[in-house]
């Protein structure tokens, strides 16, 4: 199994001190050292999930020069077969590994302990780690999120689970004011290494309030990072990265993706929070997507390939900040951009991404950016109505055809 | 309104029959573990201080009197015995005096500086409430945590943050405790374990609960020898906020080592506590959640100190949280921008006679703990400290542009990867504060 380790030389301590110096800013070539004790293994995944045929090593074009040192022994097939599991199990595995590794990592949320989590992400952990490390909280989102922040300020590394992301609307005060801003307003004295995670997105007729996409509401909060996982492989990798990050990270999971099955490596690996994932390289059009819409896009891609198109599909993964390198390289190659997201049309991630691409890569575009988002409608209960609020593969195909005329 | 108040008190006859009304909360906490609270005053004192809505209040008082009369008797006994045993030593007395004088002098200087245009925005001064800060915080160790609100200058000073750093912060200079990035309402100090400084009321209480949680976690999961306690300070207005109740619940549920200190100064900007609260006796809300609730005269630093001692000891022993309601008063308006026209001058005059600094001075002199000259020397010393703080702040530099982006993220990779493939934070302009992020 190909792997690359990078160990910094204490560079990260320099980053977080209040007396922040320039010492860590060396040339790009020395960038890998800056990762400190954060080692990233790019494994050659034998991903036979059948959902997307490529986990492209050709994606080196996007990530090579940047944050991870790409090792070149990727051509070989995996020396170990890895193990198959479902997405929620991958999340649990990542969580458990981090809890084993660092006793300060703890979980807080409703029904995370004895119940094992409403989506079984924390199943069995309370039995193993105890009721204090996997804390069943009363139904008080604002307060237990604030409690997690206070605990993070005083040395712990809590993971807050929102039973449904929508419930975190009740914690907006704490997430915006304290989670995002405390590091700054304290002049860098206190860090908030929390992870806030939970399922969001449109499910199967869950009704308007349980079908919310909070990434658009949170994206303006300064000081937080947002990532969205979409496969068991990246779910585990992002979970581990988020826990190890000194920044507050919001990890968006999707209600309908928890039962995805995939084979993931046996070796430990941690992914990069700020990077996008090349799903399918192509030439004609760049399709940017994340979370569940990745699968609608890949479904549309099959149709498009049959029709003779060659779409490049990128799962942006990092919703804040955007990986403008991967995205930019793609735009420079294809000159056409289609964004497919589940967010609302107004003020969503797609809106920000459109603005960002226009600002940075305007000269490379041959056509205006097309953004397919969900309708600005509270998700209806009726199945047919719900279907019409969300972007479907047929719409994606039509949009690409339109774009590539 | 009165009828419902009646119902509240009579409804649990157990409380009435307990001998000390302020300790009636004890009858609840006797189930949890007995601890007596010294220094609590009767309800009757509270009633005198409020002029408005007197009729409604006195009807309520009619129901309380039956219980509180016992306390008055108790108090008389106690005060006669108190005379023979002093509550503090000379050293302690001088420490308390100095801390309160520092708080007062500092805040007065803030007002001056504000009107001279050295500080801006919302500045909330603590004049009159010094007994609460001094009474509680001077009992803490350095490792104990304090969480405050926007009225946090004096909490910072009591906890040990140098006056220079607080003043610099107020002037927005880079030598401030938060590098000028927080301001009046966001005083933080990692060294002294001051966890803020919060602008929205109530949002600090969960943070304090979290700090207490860490203390328990260290003890029970990490098996460290940890008996750190957290104090959460907040006002009467906050006691109607959801976060207050949610945290009382969690703290009692998990027996967290925290003391909830209510600085009830009767006013939330222009909203009288009585107009905002169905049951204005905040200490009663403690037993409702399974913790002792105590009411104390917040203008008397020795009484506050006694109650604080017990509450903090309780938390250190692992017996859980306490709710302490300190009846206090702010001599100035809500903030320096508040014209303070709504409060009755008679009420202000009444509390002015209960100035905590004057009261402590009287106690010290009457009990011959120190001489007038020694106290004057302290006042002079404090004047110099405050002057020095102003000078230091004046001479300190403003933040450089390079500071703009530095502390947004603990790990600045959070700004992401730019179009050129490099992390944004690697852009040389990042350190100049002019990079695009």
């Amino acid at each position: 199994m190909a792997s690359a380790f990078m160990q910094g030389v204490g560079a990260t301590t320099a980053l977080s001190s209040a007396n922040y110096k320039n010492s860590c800013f060396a040339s790009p070539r020395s960038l890998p050292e800056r990762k400190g004790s954060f080692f990233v293994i790019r494994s050659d995944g034998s991903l036979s999930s059948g959902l997307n045929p490529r986990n492209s090593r050709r994606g080196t074009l996007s990530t090579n020069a940047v944050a991870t040192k790409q090792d070149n022994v990727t051509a070989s097939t995996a020396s170990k077969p890895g193990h198959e599991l479902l997405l929620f199990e991958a999340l649990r595995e990542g969580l458990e590994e981090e809890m084993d590794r660092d006793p300060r990592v703890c979980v807080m949320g409703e029904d995370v302990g004895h119940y094992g989590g409403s989506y079984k992400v924390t199943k069995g952990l309370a039995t193993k780690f105890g009721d204090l490390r996997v804390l069943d909280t009363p139904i008080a989102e604002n307060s237990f999120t604030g409690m997690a922040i206070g605990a993070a300020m005083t040395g712990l590394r809590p993971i807050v689970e929102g039973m449904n992301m929508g419930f975190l609307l009740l914690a907006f005060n704490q997430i915006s004011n304290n989670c995002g801003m405390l590091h700054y307003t304290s002049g860098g004295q206190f860090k908030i290494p929390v992870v806030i995670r939970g399922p969001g997105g449109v499910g199967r007729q869950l009704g308007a309030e349980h079908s919310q996409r909070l990434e658009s509401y949170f994206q303006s909060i300064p000081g937080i990072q947002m990532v969205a996982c979409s496969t068991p492989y990246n779910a585990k990798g992002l979970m581990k990265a988020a826990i190890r990050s000194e920044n507050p990270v919001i990890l968006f999971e999707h209600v309908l993706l928890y039962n995805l099955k995939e084979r993931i490596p046996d070796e430990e690996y941690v992914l990069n929070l700020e990077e996008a994932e090349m799903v399918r390289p192509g030439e004609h059009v760049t399709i940017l997507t994340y979370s569940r819409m990745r699968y609608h896009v890949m479904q549309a891609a099959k149709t498009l390939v049959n029709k003779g198109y060659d779409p490049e599909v990128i799962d942006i993964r990092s919703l804040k900040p955007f990986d403008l390198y991967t995205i930019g390289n793609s735009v420079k190659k294809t000159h056409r951009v289609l964004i497919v997201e589940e967010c609302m049309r107004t003020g969503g991630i797609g809106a920000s991404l459109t603005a960002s691409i226009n600002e940075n890569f305007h000269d490379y575009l041959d056509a205006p950016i097309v953004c397919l988002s969900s309708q600005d409608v509270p998700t209806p209960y009726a199945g047919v109505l719900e279907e019409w609020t969300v972007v479907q593969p047929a719409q994606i195909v039509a949009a690409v055809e339109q774009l590539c005329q | 309104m009165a009828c419902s108040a009646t119902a509240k008190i009579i409804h649990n006859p157990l409380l009435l029959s307990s001998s000390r009304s302020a300790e009636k909360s004890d009858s609840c906490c006797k189930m949890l573990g007995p601890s007596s609270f010294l220094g609590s005053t009767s309800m009757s004192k509270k009633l005198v201080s409020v002029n408005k809505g007197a009729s409604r209040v006195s009807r309520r008082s009619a129901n309380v009197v039956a219980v509180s009369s016992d306390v008055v008797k108790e108090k008389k006994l106690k005060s006669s015995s108190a005379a023979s045993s002093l509550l503090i030593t000379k050293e302690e007395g001088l420490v308390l005096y100095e801390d309160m004088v520092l708080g007062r002098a500092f805040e007065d200087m803030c007002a001056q500086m504000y009107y001279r245009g050295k500080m801006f925005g919302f500045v909330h001064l603590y004049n009159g409430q010094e007994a609460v800060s001094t009474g509680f915080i001077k009992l803490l160790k350095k490792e104990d945590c304090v969480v405050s609100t926007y009225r946090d200058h004096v909490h910072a000073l009591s906890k040990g943050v140098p006056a220079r750093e607080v003043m610099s912060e107020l002037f927005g200079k880079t030598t401030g405790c938060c590098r000028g990035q927080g301001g009046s309402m966001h005083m933080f100090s990692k060294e002294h374990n001051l966890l803020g400084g919060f602008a929205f009321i109530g949002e600090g209480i969960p943070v304090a609960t979290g700090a207490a949680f860490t203390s328990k976690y260290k003890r029970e999961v990490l098996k460290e020898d940890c008996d750190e306690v957290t104090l959460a300070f907040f006002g009467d207005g906050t006691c109607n906020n959801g976060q207050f109740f949610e945290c009382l619940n969690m703290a009692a549920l998990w027996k967290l080592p925290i003391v909830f200190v209510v600085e009830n100064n009767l006013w939330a900007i222009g909203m009288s506590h009585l107009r905002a609260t169905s049951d204005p006796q905040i200490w009663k809300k403690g037993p409702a959640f399974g913790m002792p609730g105590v009411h104390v005269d917040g203008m008397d630093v020795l009484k506050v100190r006694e109650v604080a001692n017990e509450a903090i000891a309780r938390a250190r022993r692992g017996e859980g949280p306490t709710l302490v309601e300190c009846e206090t008063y702010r001599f100035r308006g809500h903030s320096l921008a508040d014209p303070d026209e709504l409060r009755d001058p008679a009420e202000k005059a009444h509390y002015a006679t209960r100035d905590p600094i004057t009261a402590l001075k009287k106690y010290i002199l009457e009990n011959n703990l120190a001489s007038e000259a020694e106290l004057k020397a302290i006042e002079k010393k404090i004047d110099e400290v405050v002057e020095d703080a102003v000078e230091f702040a004046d001479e300190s530099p403003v933040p450089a542009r390079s500071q703009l982006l530095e502390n947004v993220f603990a790990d600045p990779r959070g700004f992401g990867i730019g179009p050129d493939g490099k992390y944004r934070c690697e852009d040389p302009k990042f350190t100049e504060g002019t990079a695009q992020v």
Side-chain angles (χ1 to χ4, degrees):
Chain A
M1 183 69 72
S3 58
F5 283 88
M6 270 125 356
Q7 286 225 292
V9 200
T12 44
T13 49
L15 288 173
S16 51
S17 72
N19 299 318
Y20 189 78
K21 298 279 193 311
N22 305 346
S23 54
C24 52
F25 295 134
S27 67
R29 229 159 267 137
S30 69
L31 176 53
E33 287 159 28
R34 284 186 61 253
K35 295 185 84 55
S37 58
F38 183 97
F39 50 89
V40 176
I41 304 176
R42 274 293 170 127
S43 62
D44 188 77
S46 31
L47 302 170
S48 55
S49 62
L51 288 161
N52 55 345
R54 253 154 316 251
N55 182 28
S56 164
R57 289 307 107 205
R58 294 212 296 150
T60 57
L61 70 88
S62 60
T63 55
N64 197 16
V66 185
T68 56
K69 198 161 83 173
Q70 186 65 33
D71 69 310
N72 295 315
V73 195
T74 55
S76 63
T77 48
S79 49
K80 281 192 201 155
H83 57 285
E84 221 176 40
L85 42 48
L86 305 179
L87 196 146
F88 76 88
E89 290 168 335
L91 287 167
R92 185 174 66 224
E93 217 174 74
L95 187 45
E96 194 172 344
E97 282 174 18
E98 292 304 299
M99 288 181 80
D100 277 327
R101 180 179 176 266
D102 185 348
R104 296 169 303 161
V105 177
C106 55
V107 183
M108 300 178 186
E110 293 156 12
D111 272 329
V112 294
H114 294 188
Y115 195 74
S118 48
Y119 290 93
K120 294 180 277 188
V121 173
T122 50
K123 187 158 183 226
L125 296 183
T127 317
K128 179 174 176 183
F129 295 109
D131 280 349
L132 209 56
R133 278 192 85 181
V134 187
L135 186 74
D136 278 323
T137 61
I139 306 173
E141 277 79 7
N142 203 12
S143 292
F144 70 69
T145 305
M147 193 172 96
I149 291 165
M153 288 167 77
T154 43
L156 299 187
R157 304 185 75 92
I159 295 142
V160 176
E161 171 170 313
M163 189 185 269
N164 182 288
M165 271 305 205
F167 300 172
L168 293 180
L169 287 173
L170 288 135
F172 213 116
N173 180 1
Q174 292 293 340
I175 294 173
S176 169
N177 285 358
N178 291 346
C179 189
M181 304 214 253
L182 257 180
H183 183 72
Y184 193 82
T185 48
S186 68
Q189 290 182 84
F190 291 100
K191 56 182 175 111
I192 324 278
V194 294
V195 177
I196 297 175
R197 52 157 291 269
V202 175
R204 298 247 179 274
Q205 299 189 248
L206 300 179
E209 293 181 15
H210 282 83
S211 311
Q212 298 191 70
R213 286 123 286 165
L214 256 47
E215 53 267 25
S216 52
Y217 306 166
F218 288 145
Q219 67 176 319
S220 294
I221 299 173
I224 57 159
Q225 282 186 251
M226 303 199 303
V227 286
C229 63
S230 50
T231 66
Y233 178 77
N234 66 31
K236 179 175 173 183
L238 290 175
M239 170 72 96
K240 288 169 75 85
I243 294 172
R244 293 191 196 188
S245 173
E246 299 300 309
N247 297 335
V249 179
I250 305 186
L251 170 57
F252 289 90
E253 302 155 14
H254 197 286
V255 278
L256 293 180
L257 299 184
Y258 280 125
N259 289 324
L260 283 180
K261 191 187 283 202
E262 192 181 13
R263 184 165 289 274
I264 67 168
D266 289 329
E267 290 82 11
E268 191 183 24
Y269 67 96
V270 183
L271 294 177
N272 195 323
L273 287 175
E274 296 89 26
E275 276 179 20
E277 186 177 316
M278 177 65 71
V279 181
R280 181 192 188 281
E283 300 286 328
H284 292 162
V285 60
T286 298
I287 306 182
L288 303 172
T289 183
Y290 66 92
S291 193
R292 182 187 168 217
M293 286 297 115
R294 167 183 172 144
Y295 297 97
H296 280 205
V297 167
M298 290 314 292
Q299 204 178 324
K302 275 194 211 144
T303 315
L304 287 167
V305 165
N306 288 338
K307 291 191 176 192
Y309 294 95
D310 187 23
E312 175 152 292
V313 179
I314 295 176
D315 182 339
I316 61 172
R317 257 179 20 196
S318 177
L319 305 181
K320 180 181 163 111
F322 295 133
D323 177 359
L324 288 180
Y325 185 65
T326 308
I327 294 170
N329 286 346
S330 182
V331 174
K332 289 175 189 176
K333 184 170 64 161
T334 67
H335 312 295
R336 282 162 222 280
V337 179
L338 171 67
I339 300 170
V340 180
E341 59 163 359
E342 204 176 302
C343 244
M344 306 292 214
R345 176 140 208 84
T346 305
I349 298 292
S352 291
L353 193 50
T354 305
S356 209
I357 297 173
N358 273 327
E359 244 173 45
N360 289 289
F361 308 113
H362 184 258
D363 285 340
Y364 296 96
L365 292 170
D366 283 348
I369 300 174
V370 176
C371 181
L372 298 179
S373 328
S374 296
Q375 304 275 337
D376 279 335
V377 164
T379 311
Y381 164 73
V384 287
L385 288 177
E386 183 184 72
E387 233 177 76
W388 292 326
T389 61
V390 173
V391 178
Q392 301 295 339
Q395 292 164 274
I396 302 171
V397 172
V400 170
E401 288 177 326
Q402 173 88 349
L403 200 49
C404 290
Q405 262 165 15
Chain B
M1 197 49 95
C3 297
S4 64
T6 314
K8 273 172 204 150
I9 294 174
I10 291 186
H11 146 263
N12 188 348
L14 222 107
L15 299 176
L16 280 179
S17 59
S18 125
S19 57
R20 293 190 273 176
S21 76
E23 271 76 66
K24 67 182 158 198
S25 51
D26 252 21
S27 62
C28 285
C29 69
K30 270 188 181 104
M31 295 180 252
L32 308 167
S35 51
S36 56
F37 288 87
L38 311 173
S40 317
T41 59
S42 66
M43 290 303 105
S44 56
K45 254 208 173 144
K46 197 172 185 272
L47 305 169
V48 167
S49 60
V50 177
N51 294 325
K52 293 204 173 133
S55 58
R56 194 188 300 154
V57 171
S58 56
R59 254 184 286 150
R60 204 172 269 125
S61 75
N63 303 305
V64 183
V65 159
V67 183
S68 65
S69 56
D70 287 346
V71 183
V72 175
K73 267 190 250 155
E74 286 279 352
K75 268 195 57 57
K76 286 211 179 103
L77 284 166
K78 264 165 34 79
S79 54
S80 55
S81 60
S84 52
S85 58
L86 292 171
L87 293 167
I88 45 168
T89 64
K90 174 179 178 170
E91 288 75 34
E92 287 169 347
L94 293 181
V95 164
L96 297 180
Y97 189 75
E98 183 170 332
D99 194 51
M100 289 207 287
V101 169
L102 172 62
R104 182 68 61 88
F106 189 93
E107 297 292 70
D108 281 339
M109 185 58 83
C110 278
Q112 265 195 60
M113 293 298 113
Y114 189 83
Y115 293 126
R116 279 198 216 165
K118 300 288 182 89
M119 60 178 87
F120 300 92
F122 292 128
V123 180
H124 308 83
L125 300 181
Y126 202 74
N127 298 47
Q129 301 183 196
E130 295 86 358
V132 181
S133 179
T134 300
F136 267 94
I137 299 180
K138 282 310 176 196
L139 290 170
L140 296 180
K141 301 185 294 193
K142 196 170 186 188
E143 299 76 37
D144 294 323
C145 295
V146 166
V147 174
S148 180
T149 60
Y150 44 71
R151 206 178 296 282
D152 56 354
H153 306 167
V154 179
H155 294 137
L157 295 170
S158 292
K159 193 65 172 60
V161 183
R164 284 184 158 193
E165 286 181 27
V166 182
M167 193 60 85
S168 281
E169 184 61 32
L170 293 168
F171 281 29
K173 301 298 179 79
T174 192
T175 48
C177 53
C178 301
R179 308 177 86 199
Q181 289 164 197
S184 168
M185 300 185 280
H186 303 282
M187 295 288 167
F188 288 82
S189 169
K190 188 155 177 77
E191 187 193 338
H192 299 280
N193 288 301
L194 174 65
L195 304 181
F198 292 93
F200 286 20
I201 59 151
E203 69 178 354
I205 307 177
V207 173
T209 309
F213 179 82
T214 299
S215 186
K216 182 180 167 88
Y217 190 97
K218 279 187 188 169
R219 207 172 28 230
E220 295 182 19
V221 176
L222 302 178
K223 307 289 186 219
E224 285 171 23
D225 199 8
C226 177
D227 65 349
E228 283 147 33
V229 159
T230 304
L231 300 184
F233 291 91
F234 47 92
D236 44 286
T238 308
C239 295
N240 293 325
N241 186 277
Q243 285 169 106
F244 169 63
F245 298 109
E246 289 172 1
C247 289
L248 285 185
N249 178 43
M250 293 195 291
L253 184 63
W254 298 316
K255 286 220 171 74
L256 301 181
I258 184 172
V259 183
F260 295 102
V261 185
V262 182
E263 293 171 323
N264 184 354
N265 57 22
L266 302 175
W267 290 89
I269 309 187
M271 189 64 167
S272 152
H273 176 56
L274 297 178
R275 290 184 68 220
T277 317
S278 57
D279 186 347
Q281 295 176 311
I282 301 171
W283 60 270
K284 279 161 76 176
K285 299 176 190 188
F289 287 92
M291 73 178 79
V294 190
H295 177 269
V296 69
D297 176 3
M299 305 305 273
D300 183 332
V301 69
L302 299 178
K303 291 201 182 104
V304 171
R305 191 179 153 90
E306 256 187 307
V307 169
N309 209 13
E310 180 57 37
I312 292 169
R314 213 181 103 80
R316 274 203 220 288
R317 286 193 299 264
E319 287 168 19
T322 312
L323 175 65
V324 180
E325 179 186 357
C326 303
E327 177 202 336
T328 183
Y329 201 76
R330 51 169 165 82
F331 293 155
R332 290 182 179 267
H334 164 74
S335 72
L336 288 173
D338 174 20
D340 194 19
E341 287 161 350
L342 214 51
R343 298 191 298 175
D344 191 343
E347 181 186 85
K348 293 192 220 180
H350 168 79
Y351 277 97
T353 66
R354 290 167 60 184
D355 187 324
I357 296 177
T358 321
L360 181 64
K361 187 169 185 172
K362 186 159 173 272
Y363 183 89
I364 289 176
L365 293 174
E366 276 179 0
N367 290 288
N368 293 315
L369 285 171
S371 66
E372 181 100 37
E374 281 173 298
L375 296 182
K376 277 260 179 297
I378 289 178
E379 286 161 28
K380 185 165 183 301
K381 173 184 164 196
I382 292 301
D383 278 339
E384 285 168 11
V385 166
V386 174
E387 288 278 347
D388 167 79
V390 171
E391 241 181 76
F392 176 79
D394 252 336
E395 288 164 9
S396 292
V398 289
R401 179 99 197 226
S402 57
Q403 213 180 292
L404 183 65
L405 304 168
E406 271 173 5
N407 300 127
V408 178
F409 288 105
D411 179 350
R413 281 176 297 176
F415 279 117
I417 301 167
D420 59 0
K422 292 193 264 181
Y423 273 96
R424 298 273 200 197
C425 58
E426 293 192 303
D427 180 344
K429 292 218 200 102
F430 183 85
T431 53
E432 293 165 26
T434 54
Q436 189 180 43
V437 286

